Amino acid sequence: MSLERAVNLYGASALVAEDAVRRAWQTALPGKSESLAAGLVALATFGDLFVDELSRALFLTHSGTTRLVNRLEEAGWATRRAGDDDADRRRVLVSLTPEGRKVVGDVLAARQEALAALLAPLSETQREQLSGILETILRSHGSDGRSLHTTCRRCDHQVCVPCPTLEAHRAATATET
């Protein structure tokens, strides 16, 4: 198979997966934006984040992230507070509430179901082959040491152990020190 065809098929598959996740999140959070689901998952994945960290993870502007945090807070899914030390006091730290954690479970379950449906036609052997290929891609991408908070921002980290992106990130940052 030519590289061009593989690239084209991979790109189309990525769009099919993205569309499936988007529809699943719309079902899990009817009437809510996809960015709310992404914000919830990012906070569940990485723990408490400052607004600027959440902004970078979700590829949103600072003002867009502030609006997102407002909506998360209005829904009762997140809280915000000033940082703990003098250097952080002007920065706003965002945390999930217990209700937010419950909603994240619903969002991740909808994502899992939608993506599992896409892989249903594959045999177990094909799923193992695909997993190996995807792990290779993610390890290579994660080796820049900077992509962890963006690549894994929508993942269910309880499922993906060990995480190939995290392993690559750790290896890259270990060589930087």
Side-chain angles (χ1 to χ4, degrees):
M1 176 185 300
S2 72
L3 176 61
E4 291 84 7
R5 180 166 171 76
V7 166
N8 206 44
L9 291 170
Y10 181 66
S13 296
L15 288 175
V16 168
E18 180 65 25
D19 290 346
V21 170
R22 184 175 291 117
R23 285 190 303 274
W25 284 359
Q26 288 170 351
T27 301
L29 298 175
K32 304 291 186 187
S33 71
E34 180 186 345
S35 63
L36 275 178
L40 286 166
V41 173
L43 288 167
T45 298
F46 305 117
D48 298 350
L49 292 173
F50 287 107
V51 170
D52 59 319
E53 294 170 327
L54 186 58
S55 178
R56 282 192 303 274
L58 298 176
F59 296 101
L60 295 174
T61 63
H62 182 80
S63 60
T65 306
T66 299
R67 288 190 299 274
L68 170 68
V69 172
N70 288 342
R71 292 194 317 270
L72 288 169
E73 222 175 16
E74 288 166 9
W77 298 338
T79 60
R80 67 177 109 196
R81 63 180 169 78
D84 292 335
D85 60 35
D86 289 337
D88 291 338
R89 213 170 295 279
R90 293 186 324 175
R91 296 174 72 200
V92 175
L93 190 65
V94 183
S95 306
L96 285 179
T97 64
E99 178 64 18
R101 290 193 188 286
K102 179 194 171 301
V103 173
V104 167
D106 296 341
V107 167
L108 288 174
R111 175 187 177 271
Q112 174 73 19
E113 185 177 317
L115 294 175
L118 295 178
L119 300 181
L122 301 179
S123 68
E124 185 175 340
T125 300
Q126 289 173 316
R127 284 193 307 271
E128 287 175 17
Q129 291 170 337
L130 179 61
S131 292
I133 292 166
L134 296 173
E135 285 180 12
T136 299
I137 291 169
L138 291 171
R139 274 192 204 95
S140 174
H141 179 69
S143 66
D144 68 6
R146 296 180 304 273
S147 62
L148 178 65
H149 282 88
T150 55
T151 301
C152 298
R153 70 187 182 273
R154 297 182 179 183
C155 290
D156 185 343
H157 283 260
Q158 296 178 17
V159 173
C160 196
V161 178
C163 172
T165 306
L166 178 58
E167 287 179 334
H169 174 78
R170 286 181 177 151
T173 54
T175 60
E176 290 175 4
T177 57

